[in-house]
Amino acid sequence: MMCLAKLPALPDAAGTYRWFYADVTAGPYSAVCIFMLGSLFSPRYSVAARRGGRPLEHSAVNFALYHAGVRRLWVLSEYARAELDAPGRLRIGRSTLSYEGDGTVRMAVDDGTAPWGRPVRASLTLEPMTPVGEVVQLMPGLPHYWQALAPRSQARLEVSSLGIEARGLGYHDTNHGGELLGARLSGWHWARTHREDETVVDYHLPEGVAPLRVVAGARGVRCERGPALVEARPTHITGWGLRVPSRLHAGNVVVGQPKLLESSPFYARLEARQGPLDSLGEVADFRRFHSPFIRWMAHFRTRMGRAA
């Protein structure tokens, strides 16, 4: 089985970005961790990139812990640098992302909650059960790419600051791009669903572009671009005015009505569980994020960290 043994290339030019995303479902707990270079949540990078600011100068660590659909912890800390401090290991502040020789992925968070800085020490450890997926261009003609690195994994979640240790299933991917999100790619929504024997990821894109689907299981990982949806699926408007799905789907299978884990004017995170099905999804409207008012609001969900 082919696993990732080193970090993909890091971004350098102004306006570019890359992030590494992972989530774990373990009993009543769900956790999401993202290491971001050219942070998509950074109001500072939204402005600085247009003036030549580099992505590594706007790196960030995001960690969120949920219990039974309710947020317990939120970390979003931005740093003025990121570095490779060992082969296959990325450091942002005191937190690290590492790829080990056996394919194991480890995200270790040592940071503080936003905005008050309450100490958080947590880790996600993923042991891939499938190979790495291919790199996929999200929109024809636009420089935005997605790759499932460990789409189905055995996972361990530890939050030592709360005394939590749990095991379950994990998912890990990376996105990267050659321009700011929102410059031409207006947004997307996607959902990851763990089934009993496979994991399915559906990526829905704007402007009538056919959705992408990754299926990972015992037969490996396959990626395909399916036909556009014939019928519009029901949606509703959040309190922030963002349109989100009323149901989460795995293909044509309805998982259920989702709980809204995170809600903001430009971004939402949703979760639905039904029997053996577990879905976690995100909705993003990047053009909204670049409005000065929403950039101002984003400062209150982020703290500026200091390097170790």
Side-chain angles (χ1 to χ4, degrees):
M1 180 172 67
M2 183 179 68
C3 296
L4 197 69
K6 63 180 182 178
L7 286 164
L10 303 185
D12 180 60
T16 61
Y17 65 89
R18 183 184 284 275
W19 69 77
F20 301 90
Y21 168 99
D23 66 55
V24 168
T25 297
Y29 293 103
S30 300
V32 173
C33 188
I34 316 174
F35 280 61
M36 294 177 275
L37 310 168
S39 171
L40 76 159
F41 292 130
S42 172
R44 301 164 187 86
Y45 190 49
S46 176
V47 175
R50 295 177 172 86
R51 302 170 181 170
R54 299 300 181 89
L56 298 192
E57 298 168 353
H58 300 275
S59 300
V61 175
N62 177 219
F63 174 76
L65 175 71
Y66 309 96
H67 180 266
V70 177
R71 189 205 307 147
R72 294 283 305 277
L73 291 173
W74 174 265
V75 172
L76 180 54
S77 299
E78 185 175 337
Y79 293 87
R81 62 177 294 186
E83 60 182 354
L84 296 175
D85 69 350
R89 189 168 76 173
L90 173 68
R91 178 179 294 274
I92 301 177
R94 297 185 304 275
S95 302
T96 58
L97 162 64
S98 59
Y99 295 96
E100 302 183 359
D102 62 355
T104 300
V105 182
R106 299 186 193 277
M107 287 179 159
V109 176
D110 183 357
D111 214 298
T113 58
W116 308 116
R118 173 188 170 193
V120 173
R121 289 181 174 82
S123 67
L124 279 64
T125 304
L126 281 69
E127 299 176 1
M129 302 162 66
T130 63
V132 174
E134 62 183 285
V135 179
V136 181
Q137 187 173 19
L138 292 175
M139 295 277 287
L142 298 186
H144 301 280
Y145 305 88
W146 167 55
Q147 184 180 21
L149 299 175
R152 186 174 177 88
S153 304
Q154 295 178 337
R156 184 172 74 251
L157 168 67
E158 296 177 88
V159 187
S160 58
S161 51
L162 295 180
I164 294 169
E165 182 172 348
R167 293 180 179 271
L169 286 173
Y171 169 82
H172 177 43
D173 70 13
T174 182
N175 285 69
H176 72 280
E179 64 183 19
L180 283 175
L181 288 162
R184 290 185 289 173
L185 178 51
S186 60
W188 61 51
H189 72 270
W190 69 278
R192 178 275 300 145
T193 302
H194 291 311
R195 297 174 169 174
E196 286 186 289
D197 58 351
E198 64 184 12
T199 295
V200 178
V201 184
D202 289 305
Y203 226 114
H204 298 276
L205 299 154
E207 300 175 21
V209 172
L212 286 161
R213 163 174 274 207
V214 161
V215 179
R219 292 183 292 177
V221 178
R222 65 183 189 275
C223 181
E224 55 197 17
R225 195 178 287 275
L229 296 176
V230 176
E231 297 181 357
R233 288 176 173 171
T235 61
H236 66 275
I237 303 294
T238 68
W240 289 109
L242 185 67
R243 186 172 293 279
V244 300
S246 297
R247 298 285 187 272
L248 289 184
H249 292 73
N252 292 319
V253 176
V254 178
V255 179
Q257 181 176 354
K259 293 182 178 180
L260 193 60
L261 301 180
E262 301 292 344
S263 182
S264 79
F266 84 101
Y267 174 84
R269 183 176 291 156
L270 309 100
E271 182 181 50
R273 296 187 182 188
Q274 180 176 284
L277 301 178
D278 176 275
S279 289
L280 190 69
E282 297 182 322
V283 177
D285 185 330
F286 300 116
R287 289 184 177 167
R288 274 186 160 210
F289 182 70
H290 293 295
S291 108
F293 176 65
I294 292 177
R295 284 204 310 263
W296 174 78
M297 293 179 63
H299 285 280
F300 297 98
R301 294 294 303 275
T302 310
R303 63 186 291 269
M304 290 302 297
R306 295 182 179 180

